[in-house]
């Protein structure tokens, strides 16, 4: 049985014999008895196992080190200690011993050290909590969208369309780099490659998502995404997961309703389903975490335009590193100020068109686009979305102004010709959500095996 | 509102006014009235919309072509036709017209033609069914594993470990292929690349999955996978999705229990949640589909060894293209025979070690490994798994025999040193499952935008 089921049904198992499999997280042995701090990784809580000389292999068990794998049989009894229950062991079978040089010992390790032990760090309390929250949050996302009639669509990662600019995307090839076939121009002959063209890993499923939204009304993607950014910050990784919903018959206001409802659902789901993990993070990672999350669920997200945001920033009695301007972007320091100003999440809408993407819907002022960023206290920008340009001619015109190569996205533009409709979508970086949910401040610590510039180990 | 909610709650909406958004799938217009076959993509069923001259824009509506996007308001009434209900339209707003050259017309298109219209084919009844089943089946997989205390883990796709053999994996680079940096040996200087080494997209998350199973007991992955195979068959694609569960304290028999339970759960979930879609496939794709699926849920999966399987094949009164041998693989024709022989799914266990992977657990006979393939009627091999070698020395020995480069997988082998335990896992190709669930026989028709050799369009 799983430890999580035992803790969920204490009354059922009290005074009963059970068998558990798991690992020693800590061990105190006395002369005639011992205590094992035992975890099987299915929940944050550990079980105390008490054993004594009655065990046939008492001497062996006494010498077991932290990390060893066991099968234990025994009776669940009321505990005199902090925990509600403990196990009185009748049988302890050693499945896998663990030597003294096991790097994960019951003491505080630095996160930097643990990153170097990426394959073992899941055995620490911190990473147990983080990756269990990650798993539950992923399920929450599926639950939200599926229960609201969204289609989950697997958009392709491989693409031969260079519309993001090939600097942003990883190139993908089956050719031997040390022996590349060349054409008459002495350029690499990409016709010899598997797809007959240069291929990339895409950084977004949005374009394909729109095609599906215009057939299924509401869709979402949830999959890995890649960026080649050579940037070593706490919030950048070269491989991360992203959620990209796309909704037909949806304008910018409806999109904000959806973003707000979805985020509250996911946070509440985690409050309900990872309580112990969040309490652990509240205690050891970010004091006040649970209050922060509860406040978010109970808050009403503010909605302001980019212009209003700049007004507020200009009036603020703050010396900015980056001067706020009506045609400019909003810096991290501005994001922070705005979420503090409103003491909660803020949607910022109607951005200057020149700092946003070509496919966003031009507003009637001709200057701004129907884009929206959601700024969340401490997390900064958590979601970015827009209403999409649904006017074929305007879309083409804007693409041409920005020198977008239209050939590979002809099909995408055609969606506007064949029964197009107003539609909107947004993207949410999954790791950014996990950073927010756990209070952990480095993206390297919310990804099982993170990939950053120079780091692709394990 | 969504059409699916209307059809689920007919009693609630009967004689009520509702507003719907969606597309014209077919249109019959008479002199003074017309019928629109209307779908919003949230369910397989269409709604018939009846309108007449009372509409202010009657003349416009009359000329609308298939594919046009509409907002319709009207009363839901009992239908005289085949459907239970229809809508008597009060208002029809045209959101996006569709011209005559719209490729998806209400007639039978070949699948080959539709593959070339990959961005529009979701608007056909067939692909509506297929991709809705795909979405629900994905949810079923998450439901099964989450409700059984499995951790969903996002294993990395980027890797610098060449343990599958770089011929099998796509190479990934940020370097300019037409201007590659060279080292003193005139080889490509991979130190100049983003990760400082040659990087690949992996074809499996198993190794990382094992690391997590030995911390969380039960985990699963569900993500995209890539193969460079230059093979143009109905079952091969270069990008597909895979589910890879990995379970600690689990031997081969327990693994088969899990595989059987999981598959039955997913099939039953689809029978319960995509009934109309499956009925459509039963009628137009594979007669008897629903019976096939119901039979599977009610069957008991047979378990035989590879040796027993070869015995049966040798005794069979069949002229084989590939002669069955005790040390050889099992061909497609053999798979078919065996599932017909047992009239149901068959697990084949204990395969000759030389045709299986280096990390599979060696049986006590020294000749076979604790591997298992699940063969399913019509689908062939649906899952492949094994108990993993948990003996450090045996694992290293086998890797050396097979010339596996141990350096990049040292950490993986170390899992056996640090509290290792018997553990098992399997992989299931998601597309193979969808092929089985829908009866569609070509992998290109169950992937939204398929990637196959020479084909990476859209």
């Amino acid at each position: 049985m799983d430890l999580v089921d035992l803790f969920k049904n204490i009354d059922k198992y009290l005074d009963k014999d059970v068998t558990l499999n798991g690992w020693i997280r800590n061990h105190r042995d006395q002369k005639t008895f011992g205590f094992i701090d035992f975890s099987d990784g299915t929940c944050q809580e550990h079980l105390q196992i008490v054993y004594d000389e009655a065990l046939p292999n008492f001497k062996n068990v006494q010498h077991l080190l932290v990390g060893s794998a066991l099968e234990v049989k025994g009776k669940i009894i009321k505990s005199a200690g902090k925990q509600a229950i403990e196990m009185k062991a009748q049988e302890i079978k050693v499945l896998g011993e663990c030597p003294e040089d096991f790097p994960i010992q019951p003491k505080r390790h630095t996160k930097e050290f643990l990153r170097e032990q990426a394959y073992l760090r899941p055995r620490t309390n911190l990473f147990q909590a983080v990756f269990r929250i990650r798993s539950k949050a992923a399920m929450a996302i599926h639950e939200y969208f599926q229960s609201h009639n969204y289609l989950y669509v697997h958009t392709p990662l491989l693409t031969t369309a260079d519309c993001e600019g090939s600097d942003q995307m990883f190139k993908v090839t089956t050719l031997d780099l040390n022996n590349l076939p060349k054409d008459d121009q002495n350029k690499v002959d990409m016709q010899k490659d598997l797809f007959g063209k240069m291929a990339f890993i895409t950084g977004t499923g949005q374009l394909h998502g729109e095609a599906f939204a215009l057939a299924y009304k509401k869709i979402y993607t949830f999959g890995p995404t890649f960026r080649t950014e050579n940037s070593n910050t706490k919030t950048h990784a070269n491989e991360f997961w992203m959620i990209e919903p796309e909704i037909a018959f949806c304008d910018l206001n409806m999109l904000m309703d959806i973003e707000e409802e979805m985020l509250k659902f996911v946070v509440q789901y985690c409050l309900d389903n990872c309580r112990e993990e969040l309490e652990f993070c509240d205690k050891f990672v970010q004091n006040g975490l649970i209050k922060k999350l509860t406040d978010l669920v109970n808050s009403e997200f503010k909605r302001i335009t980019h212009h209003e945001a700049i007004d507020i920033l200009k009036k603020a009695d703050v010396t900015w590193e980056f001067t706020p301007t009506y045609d400019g972007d909003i810096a991290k320091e501005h994001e922070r100020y705005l979420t503090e100003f409103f003491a909660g999440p803020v949607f910022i809408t109607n951005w200057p068109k020149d700092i946003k993407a070509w496919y966003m819907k031009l507003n009637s002022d001709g200057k701004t686009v129907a884009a929206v960023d959601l700024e969340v206290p401490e997390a900064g920008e958590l979601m970015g979305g827009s209403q999409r340009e649904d006017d074929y001619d305007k879309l083409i015109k804007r693409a041409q102004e920005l020198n977008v190569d239209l050939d590979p996205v002809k099909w995408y533009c055609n969606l506007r010709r064949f029964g197009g409709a107003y539609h909107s979508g947004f993207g949410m970086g999954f790791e950014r959500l996990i950073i927010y949910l756990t209070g952990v401040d480095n993206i390297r610590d919310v990804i099982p095996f993170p990939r950053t510039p120079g780091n692709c180990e394990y």
Side-chain angles (χ1 to χ4, degrees), chain A:
Chain A
M1 79 176 297
D2 298 337
L3 207 45
V4 62
D5 291 327
L6 174 61
F7 282 120
K8 267 192 207 154
N9 301 287
I10 287 182
D11 289 347
K12 184 173 159 194
Y13 292 106
L14 198 62
D15 296 318
K16 299 272 178 359
D17 290 345
V18 305
T19 301
L20 293 165
N21 291 285
W23 294 271
I24 300 180
R25 296 286 186 226
N26 208 343
H27 192 180
R28 284 177 296 140
D29 60 306
Q30 309 285 336
K31 239 188 178 154
T32 57
F33 59 94
F35 298 101
I36 289 169
D37 185 29
F38 178 89
S39 163
D40 75 353
T42 61
C43 59
Q44 199 66 19
E45 283 173 283
H46 297 184
L47 182 70
Q48 176 161 280
I49 295 173
V50 192
Y51 66 89
D52 61 25
E53 289 179 301
L55 283 187
N57 57 344
F58 174 71
K59 286 270 170 242
N60 280 347
V61 170
Q62 260 199 320
H63 293 111
L64 288 174
L65 298 179
V66 164
S68 302
L70 309 178
E71 179 183 306
V72 293
K73 278 183 202 173
K75 184 174 276 184
I76 299 302
I77 55 172
K78 279 202 174 138
S79 172
K82 269 186 294 179
Q83 274 200 323
I85 50 168
E86 61 187 32
M87 176 192 270
K88 179 77 182 64
Q90 289 144 6
E91 221 183 296
I92 295 185
K93 204 159 127 188
V94 183
L95 300 177
E97 291 206 36
C98 194
E100 252 174 323
D101 65 341
F102 179 48
I104 309 293
Q105 293 298 325
K107 58 168 195 176
R108 224 176 165 92
H109 298 284
T110 67
K111 285 194 203 132
E112 291 71 20
F113 170 78
L114 290 172
R115 271 175 222 147
E116 283 164 21
Q117 310 291 334
Y119 75 116
L120 296 176
R121 66 177 184 171
R123 305 187 194 188
T124 63
N125 288 334
L126 173 63
F127 288 98
Q128 282 275 318
V130 167
F131 293 129
R132 212 170 296 109
I133 292 168
R134 186 178 168 114
S135 171
K136 297 279 188 187
M139 186 61 182
I141 284 161
H142 284 297
E143 288 255 15
Y144 175 81
F145 287 112
Q146 296 264 343
S147 67
H148 287 77
N149 305 328
Y150 285 66
L151 186 93
Y152 179 32
V153 51
H154 292 145
T155 50
L157 296 184
L158 293 172
T159 176
T160 51
D162 182 15
C163 51
E164 287 168 75
S166 54
D167 295 350
Q168 310 284 318
M169 292 191 286
F170 284 102
K171 297 172 195 84
V172 171
T173 182
T174 60
L175 299 173
D176 179 352
L177 295 194
N178 280 307
N179 192 13
L180 290 169
K182 299 285 172 82
D183 62 16
D184 336 335
Q185 320 277 311
N186 204 31
K187 291 270 174 194
V188 179
D189 184 1
M190 294 312 302
Q191 289 188 14
K192 297 266 160 55
D193 209 344
L194 187 69
F195 298 117
K197 287 185 196 177
M198 186 72 242
F200 308 92
I201 326 186
T202 178
T204 172
Q206 180 200 318
L207 273 52
H208 301 95
E210 287 187 45
F212 269 62
L214 289 165
Y216 299 88
K217 190 174 175 182
K218 307 194 261 190
I219 69 96
Y220 69 109
T221 71
F222 188 1
T225 314
F226 302 85
R227 294 276 158 82
T228 54
E229 255 168 315
N230 194 345
S231 125
N232 263 303
T233 78
K234 285 182 170 190
T235 51
H236 285 93
N238 297 114
E239 178 175 350
F240 55 96
W241 281 62
M242 197 147 77
I243 298 108
E244 295 187 286
E246 195 73 35
I247 308 105
F249 316 112
C250 175
D251 64 19
L252 202 66
N253 276 312
M254 293 156 74
L255 188 72
M256 288 187 272
D257 292 344
I258 294 165
E259 291 185 28
E260 181 169 345
E261 186 185 61
M262 189 271 285
L263 182 59
K264 288 178 176 175
F265 178 91
V266 171
V267 172
Q268 187 61 55
Y269 185 99
C270 289
L271 284 167
D272 293 341
N273 290 282
C274 332
R275 194 72 194 190
E276 285 78 21
E277 289 78 5
L278 292 174
E279 277 167 5
F280 178 89
C281 292
D282 193 317
K283 203 164 163 190
F284 295 105
V285 183
Q286 184 179 63
N287 287 329
L289 178 72
I290 291 189
K291 183 179 181 308
K292 174 185 92 175
L293 299 177
T294 312
D295 284 352
L296 180 114
V297 172
N298 296 320
S299 70
E300 203 178 306
F301 295 11
K302 187 79 194 168
R303 301 179 183 194
I304 59 172
T305 64
H306 178 270
H307 197 284
E308 288 165 341
I310 301 297
D311 280 344
I312 292 168
L313 294 170
K314 282 193 178 295
K315 274 185 213 147
D317 186 19
V318 178
T319 312
W320 299 114
E321 191 184 343
F322 301 95
T323 310
T325 61
Y326 292 103
D327 55 0
D329 211 342
I330 284 182
K332 285 224 178 303
E333 56 176 341
H334 307 149
E335 293 175 0
R336 209 174 309 122
Y337 182 84
L338 290 166
T339 55
E340 279 166 18
F341 184 86
F342 291 109
V346 188
F347 285 114
I348 304 174
T349 61
N350 299 336
W351 291 67
K353 68 176 180 181
D354 290 332
I355 59 169
K356 289 287 181 185
W358 64 283
Y359 48 71
M360 294 183 176
K361 188 172 177 66
L362 190 66
N363 286 326
S364 53
D365 61 13
K367 290 179 195 161
T368 61
V369 287
V372 59
D373 282 2
L374 174 63
E375 308 291 346
V376 171
E378 291 167 48
E381 189 199 326
L382 188 60
M383 305 183 204
S386 77
Q387 192 167 337
R388 316 309 189 187
E389 184 57 78
D390 52 328
D391 182 301
Y392 181 80
D393 295 330
K394 284 186 192 162
L395 184 69
I396 298 286
K397 184 163 166 274
R398 188 63 184 149
Q400 284 165 343
E401 281 170 14
L402 296 176
N403 288 317
V404 174
D405 179 11
L406 278 171
D407 199 47
V409 290
K410 217 183 295 173
W411 63 271
Y412 171 77
C413 300
N414 271 344
L415 291 170
R416 280 76 185 158
R417 288 185 56 229
F418 297 131
Y422 64 107
H423 64 286
S424 303
F426 66 95
M428 177 171 72
F430 186 54
E431 280 74 15
R432 204 161 275 201
L433 175 70
I434 306 304
I435 285 173
Y436 180 71
L437 286 171
T438 58
V440 166
D441 69 351
N442 195 314
I443 196 167
R444 289 164 184 80
D445 298 324
V446 300
I447 299 179
F449 296 89
R451 272 72 175 101
T452 54
N455 284 299
C456 187
E457 304 308 313
Y458 293 104

